Amino acid sequence: MAQTVRRAIEARYPSCYIPSRIKERRAKARALRMEKQRKPDKPEDFVCYSDSDSEEETPAQQHTVLSTSYNFVDYVRSREIQAPEPRSVDPSYATRHMLTHDMFRETPVNLGNMNKVFCSQWLSDRQVVFGTKCNKLMVYDVRSRSLDAIPTLRPRAPWPGAEHQTGIHALQINPSRTLLATGARNSCELAIYSLPTLDPVCVGEAHKDWILDMCWLDDEFLVTGSRDSKLALWRAPPAPAALRAPQHRFVAPVAVRECRAGQKVRALTFNTKWGEIAALTLNGYIHVFSASTFRQSLSRKLPSCQDLVCLATQESGIYAIGCKSYTLLLDCRTLQSVKKITSRYNGCGIRSASFRGHMLTIGTGLGLLMFYDLRAGKYLESNIHSSKTVTLKASKGYVFPDEEADGFNQVKYVPAIYTHCYDDSGTRIFTAGGPLPAPLIGNYAGLWQ
């Protein structure tokens, strides 16, 4: 949870320097090794070993362990008095504690007759912005429970027709939280707004088909991926000076790259640690581009993957790919499969995925949010109900009455969770989506806190 390297004030060692902690640490490490050495029913294709597998620790390592307090009270006191002690806290601890102790409760969000929420991000501690299939960009205030519509940016060319107005599929905020990138009124174009005012900045024109995902490389450069099998690199212009009537300019990309061996870019992510862009295409390939040169370095065919939808990256560099019936973890250095996380529910398509520390959050097509502990190598287990994994089940949401959907309504309807996002504290989760079948019109949104 928290780590504070204590320093002795009067005595030779700090108060947490208790030698018996080494014996307890060795016993826990031994038990963990025995658990890992148990032969699973199906052996893993790829196994990684670390230095922690060694039972022996050097005197210097033992001294560091004994001088480190893992007490949260020590962390808070050290921070309050601004002591010159190295200290850190696990940002995912609050989320993990609330999940394992069954503390999250859902507050449904009424979206009226909107159709399917595809993407979302927290703007601040009280506002969430999201985009829908019906081309609406909305801001939800979690305190007043009000919805505000943000005007979508018009294209410069003549209106191409309704076939190019297929929804806002992606939405990303730059690291300094000064710019918001999303889809324009024409789903083939990029729109950038300034924050926190949400004034329009520019519209980017390059793609010939829908933009399905995007990612910021830094505060200025952005990459978009489209169904035209191309990636475009953009440079966001400076926000215009305050005018009476907000205006936006039209910009061209810095560079456009064809995704070789790929068909229709479905998802993008930026691996900060290794400085590379990973792209997922619908023909079952993952592609890697260098962020510094914007050139494709390698491609790999994924093993027997169907219905590839989402892609996420952990800080350490692990890629998570959501497939039809499981989540695939890849080592970013080799693109080899590290682990295949099978779903605990049949017919459960993975629709969204994100990392928070060592915890992988998975949104499914059955209205369930699941949580996988990477360090333990299993789904997060409840501390309240023994032998039960932690899941959050979404409420029903809204489905537009449709005669063609009579056969579908005969079975119990559950919404698909197309998007989810945590606030900065990790104590609130916004989940949203809608009906999984494409012809059905409906929506779902909920705030867990």
Side-chain angles (χ1 to χ4, degrees):
M1 175 175 65
Q3 295 184 20
T4 307
V5 180
R6 304 299 307 277
R7 294 178 179 176
I9 299 176
E10 295 183 357
R12 183 177 180 183
Y13 300 113
S15 58
C16 62
Y17 203 100
I18 304 173
S20 60
R21 291 174 56 197
I22 293 294
K23 295 181 180 179
E24 296 176 2
R25 178 182 173 87
R26 287 175 178 172
K28 290 181 180 179
R30 193 178 300 113
L32 183 60
R33 279 196 304 274
M34 292 179 65
E35 179 69 21
K36 288 183 177 180
Q37 289 172 0
R38 291 176 55 188
K39 292 185 178 180
D41 297 335
K42 186 177 180 181
E44 300 292 344
D45 297 332
F46 183 87
V47 182
C48 182
Y49 303 99
S50 64
D51 293 338
S52 60
D53 292 335
S54 175
E55 191 170 345
E56 297 297 329
E57 288 181 326
T58 65
Q61 291 174 328
Q62 293 181 9
H63 177 74
T64 302
V65 170
L66 291 175
S67 300
T68 303
S69 170
Y70 299 93
N71 191 321
F72 195 76
V73 176
D74 288 338
Y75 170 82
V76 174
R77 286 177 177 172
S78 175
R79 186 182 63 178
E80 285 178 346
I81 65 176
Q82 298 183 359
E85 300 173 334
R87 55 184 176 268
S88 63
V89 65
D90 184 2
S92 64
Y93 172 77
T95 309
R96 185 184 297 267
H97 180 82
M98 293 181 67
L99 287 169
T100 55
H101 289 78
D102 195 21
M103 297 172 66
F104 277 108
R105 295 294 180 268
E106 183 192 25
T107 302
V109 179
N110 183 8
L111 300 182
N113 58 357
M114 297 183 200
N115 187 20
K116 295 175 186 170
V117 180
F118 282 152
C119 52
S120 62
Q121 288 281 319
W122 284 84
L123 284 177
S124 63
D125 62 342
R126 64 174 294 172
Q127 289 182 319
V128 182
V129 60
F130 61 87
T132 70
K133 186 177 180 179
C134 52
N135 263 75
K136 291 183 179 179
L137 185 64
M138 307 294 297
V139 173
Y140 174 67
D141 191 306
V142 300
R143 296 183 187 174
S144 64
R145 300 188 181 182
S146 60
L147 283 167
D148 295 306
I150 306 302
T152 53
L153 303 187
R154 293 177 177 273
R156 174 166 52 183
W159 180 239
E163 66 273 10
H164 288 284
Q165 193 173 5
T166 59
I168 297 174
H169 296 268
L171 185 152
Q172 292 292 331
I173 298 174
N174 68 341
S176 65
R177 305 190 69 82
T178 57
L179 294 174
L180 168 70
T182 183
R185 183 167 301 186
N186 182 348
S187 299
C188 306
E189 296 179 347
L190 167 72
I192 297 180
Y193 299 82
S194 63
L195 294 178
T197 58
L198 286 170
D199 290 332
V201 175
C202 68
V203 170
E205 303 169 321
H207 294 292
K208 305 300 181 184
D209 211 333
W210 315 336
I211 294 176
L212 296 184
D213 206 356
M214 59 187 66
C215 62
W216 287 94
L217 305 183
D218 54 23
D219 285 336
E220 194 176 8
F221 289 93
L222 170 77
V223 175
T224 56
S226 167
R227 291 201 340 157
D228 61 5
S229 304
K230 293 180 180 179
L231 268 64
L233 175 66
W234 308 84
R235 184 173 186 174
L243 301 172
R244 292 182 180 178
Q247 297 179 354
H248 61 271
R249 66 183 75 176
F250 296 90
V251 298
V254 177
V256 178
R257 295 285 184 264
E258 183 82 26
C259 197
R260 289 173 287 180
Q263 297 175 8
K264 300 181 179 179
V265 178
R266 181 63 183 86
L268 284 178
T269 186
F270 176 51
N271 189 333
T272 308
K273 181 177 181 180
W274 297 94
E276 55 189 32
I277 306 156
L280 195 65
T281 53
L282 292 180
N283 62 335
Y285 277 83
I286 183 170
H287 314 267
V288 174
F289 289 74
S290 169
S292 57
T293 62
F294 198 52
R295 294 189 179 277
Q296 189 169 353
S297 56
L298 57 98
S299 299
R300 181 174 183 268
K301 177 72 174 176
L302 297 173
S304 63
C305 289
Q306 296 180 344
D307 198 12
L308 301 175
V309 174
C310 54
L311 173 66
T313 181
Q314 193 196 25
E315 293 178 356
S316 63
I318 293 178
Y319 293 129
I321 299 174
C323 307
K324 186 174 183 179
S325 57
Y326 57 86
T327 306
L328 191 66
L329 299 182
L330 299 182
D331 187 336
C332 67
R333 296 165 296 183
T334 61
L335 295 187
Q336 294 295 319
S337 173
V338 176
K339 191 174 184 64
K340 183 186 291 185
I341 306 173
T342 57
S343 174
R344 298 179 64 89
Y345 303 91
N346 294 329
C348 175
I350 310 302
R351 315 307 301 183
S352 58
S354 69
F355 283 102
R356 186 167 182 82
H358 294 280
M359 186 175 68
L360 173 64
T361 306
I362 303 169
T364 71
L366 296 179
L368 294 173
L369 207 62
M370 303 187 297
F371 308 90
Y372 188 84
D373 191 331
L374 294 179
R375 288 181 294 189
K378 58 184 177 181
Y379 283 100
L380 197 64
E381 295 180 348
S382 173
N383 290 347
I384 304 298
H385 308 284
S386 58
S387 69
K388 182 180 178 181
T389 59
V390 177
T391 56
L392 299 181
K393 186 173 179 58
S395 54
K396 185 176 180 180
Y398 165 83
V399 181
F400 187 77
D402 191 349
E403 296 179 358
E404 298 179 359
D406 288 342
F408 177 78
N409 290 332
Q410 291 177 3
V411 298
K412 187 177 180 180
Y413 162 73
V414 287
I417 299 179
Y418 289 109
T419 177
H420 66 266
C421 55
Y422 291 87
D423 72 342
D424 288 339
S425 68
T427 58
R428 293 181 296 180
I429 313 173
F430 180 79
T431 55
L436 190 58
L440 286 187
I441 298 175
N443 62 66
Y444 156 75
L447 180 66
W448 299 84
Q449 55 186 348

